[in-house]
Amino acid sequence: MLYHISMTVKLPKDMDETTATGIKAREKAYSQDLQRSGVWRHLWRVTGQYENISIFDCRDNEHLHEVLTGLPLYPYMEMKITPLNRHPSSIHEGDQ
């Protein structure tokens, strides 16, 4: 099942740089593993914001929840999640 997710990161202003750098490094590694596995299908940066727009491909809602709560930046994120369904007028058969 595909999900459109908008993620906005809000790190505490008083978080020390060493901690922030470590969390971001773990986040990058985790997100790249998810991309390689096909779970995180698309990742776009929102210009000028600490925000991204992503497409996830998960088995179900529970799988998506496990993936998202595994993100090292999860405690500092606001997310808007929209489940997606293939549009009947789409000419792209592989987008499911």
Side-chain angles (χ1 to χ4, degrees):
M1 181 168 191
L2 298 179
Y3 300 87
H4 171 276
I5 305 174
S6 173
M7 301 179 197
T8 303
V9 179
K10 297 189 174 190
L11 293 175
K13 295 192 185 309
D14 62 348
M15 179 180 282
D16 70 84
E17 191 61 34
T18 302
T19 301
T21 299
I23 292 171
K24 291 175 190 178
R26 291 193 317 276
E27 181 82 9
K28 183 175 182 176
Y30 182 67
S31 70
Q32 289 180 345
D33 285 345
L34 290 170
Q35 290 174 68
R36 284 185 201 88
S37 74
V39 170
W40 199 325
R41 292 200 20 196
H42 299 280
L43 173 60
W44 293 278
R45 173 180 289 166
V46 176
T47 302
Q49 305 293 321
Y50 197 173
E51 182 177 344
N52 75 70
I53 302 293
S54 296
I55 302 294
F56 282 75
D57 189 356
C58 293
R59 292 184 303 277
D60 52 29
N61 292 339
E62 185 174 335
H63 180 222
L64 177 67
H65 182 77
E66 290 170 10
V67 168
L68 295 178
T69 57
L71 292 167
L73 284 170
Y74 177 79
Y76 311 104
M77 288 183 173
E78 292 179 4
M79 295 185 197
K80 180 179 179 203
I81 301 167
T82 305
L84 301 173
N85 292 295
R86 188 174 183 280
H87 195 283
S89 297
S90 175
I91 63 169
H92 300 287
E93 295 296 325
D95 286 345
Q96 301 189 36

